[in-house]
Amino acid sequence: MPEWSVTEPRKLTFEEPVRDLHVRVVNGTVNVVGTEEGSARLEVSELEGPPLVVTQQRGTLTVAYEDLPWKGFLKWLDRKGWRRSAVVSLAVPAGTRVEVGVVGANAFVSGLRGPSTIKGVTGDTTLVGLSGPVRADTVSGNLEAQAVTGDLRFNSVSGDLTVVEGAGSSVKADSVSGSMIVDLDPEGPTDVRLTSVSGEIAIRLPAPADADIEANTASGTISNAFDDLRVRGQWGAHKITGRLGAGTGKLRATTVSGSIALLRRPPRDEEPWEGRAGAEPGPTPGAAPGPVDGPAGGAGDNFPSGPGDA
């Protein structure tokens, strides 16, 4: 079994096929990019503390610390008190199955067609252009997913979830206190299920939308941009129910004390002026967007751009 002990910045190329990638890093950054090349490449550009052990066996490439197992990863503590950090970048075939574990490190994963599993303790994770199924578990780390077309499952204690241009058939998320901002732009029916105890939930749906809706909060506020939906509530509880379009998809959102907002995306046929032939120049880039159409009561607020804006 080929094995390398990486003690300083180094580059490695792996000619043997890679079908599975396992990465476990403490502090620093992990970058994983899917490519159409047959080989895999690794670059460790910064390294502090104990060595990273790199192994390749039966199609599985592993980059990790010896004392950091995948099992029980989210409960791992560095009892030996080593100060460690690494900046690791990998390019692997796009169909590779990927497992990334980060403790205090940030992870960026893009361009993969295979299944991806992310575990993070305090580091933030960014996912871009993944078409395979994704499972992400964090303690307090935030997750941002952009243009992810595979099924997305997210579990966290206090981490925030941000989905931008979500086009997958399924988004399921559970959190205790983390906020959830989900911007949906699917090609077909979508099954969305979001649950939080005290976190706020904001969902932007396409226009026209096609979903059966049920969203409720025990003591939070409700905002609704769709006239076809009913808002009911007494005492502290509020609920939004109804059907948009044929009701083929499903949307279920539940929070105990957080607020819920249902917002509206612009119709697909409303192209930006600069995208039409012979159109007048559009607004200055970077200008603030206009309000979302909807009834009073908060539905006209701009869609938040990230967890910090929720």
Side-chain angles (χ1 to χ4, degrees), residues 133-196:
V134 180
R135 171 68 185 259
D137 298 290
T138 74
V139 178
S140 59
N142 302 323
L143 175 69
E144 180 174 339
Q146 181 175 352
V148 171
T149 58
D151 293 346
L152 175 63
R153 180 67 186 267
F154 175 69
N155 288 281
S156 181
V157 177
S158 59
D160 296 332
L161 170 67
T162 303
V163 176
V164 181
E165 298 177 359
S169 61
S170 175
V171 178
K172 298 180 181 179
D174 296 279
S175 180
V176 177
S177 59
S179 299
M180 300 179 188
I181 301 173
V182 179
D183 174 31
L184 298 174
D185 190 19
E187 295 294 335
T190 301
D191 185 6
V192 179
R193 300 174 188 269
L194 309 176
T195 304
S196 181

Side-chain angles (χ1 to χ4, degrees), residues 88-304:
V88 177
S89 299
L90 290 125
V92 296
T96 303
R97 294 183 293 268
V98 172
E99 292 181 354
V100 174
V102 287
V103 180
N106 294 326
F108 181 89
V109 183
S110 66
L112 295 174
R113 295 191 299 267
S116 301
T117 302
I118 316 294
K119 291 186 179 181
V121 179
T122 57
D124 295 338
T125 299
T126 301
L127 311 176
V128 178
L130 303 186
S131 57
V134 180
R135 171 68 185 259
D137 298 290
T138 74
V139 178
S140 59
N142 302 323
L143 175 69
E144 180 174 339
Q146 181 175 352
V148 171
T149 58
D151 293 346
L152 175 63
R153 180 67 186 267
F154 175 69
N155 288 281
S156 181
V157 177
S158 59
D160 296 332
L161 170 67
T162 303
V163 176
V164 181
E165 298 177 359
S169 61
S170 175
V171 178
K172 298 180 181 179
D174 296 279
S175 180
V176 177
S177 59
S179 299
M180 300 179 188
I181 301 173
V182 179
D183 174 31
L184 298 174
D185 190 19
E187 295 294 335
T190 301
D191 185 6
V192 179
R193 300 174 188 269
L194 309 176
T195 304
S196 181
V197 177
S198 59
E200 298 179 346
I201 298 176
I203 306 161
R204 190 163 75 164
L205 298 171
D210 180 11
D212 181 70
I213 309 288
E214 183 176 323
N216 58 80
T217 175
S219 59
T221 60
I222 286 283
S223 297
N224 171 40
F226 296 90
D227 294 334
D228 293 338
L229 300 180
R230 298 182 300 275
V231 179
R232 296 178 295 179
Q234 55 183 350
W235 303 102
H238 297 86
K239 177 181 289 189
I240 302 175
T241 58
R243 177 178 296 178
L244 298 175
T248 307
K250 283 189 177 181
L251 179 109
R252 300 290 184 266
T254 302
T255 178
V256 177
S257 58
S259 62
I260 294 180
L262 292 185
L263 309 175
R264 185 198 308 267
R265 287 181 62 94
R268 292 178 183 270
D269 56 358
E270 288 188 6
E271 299 178 12
W273 279 105
E274 54 267 36
R276 301 177 186 171
E280 295 295 328
T284 303
V292 177
D293 292 334
D301 295 340
N302 292 332
F303 185 74

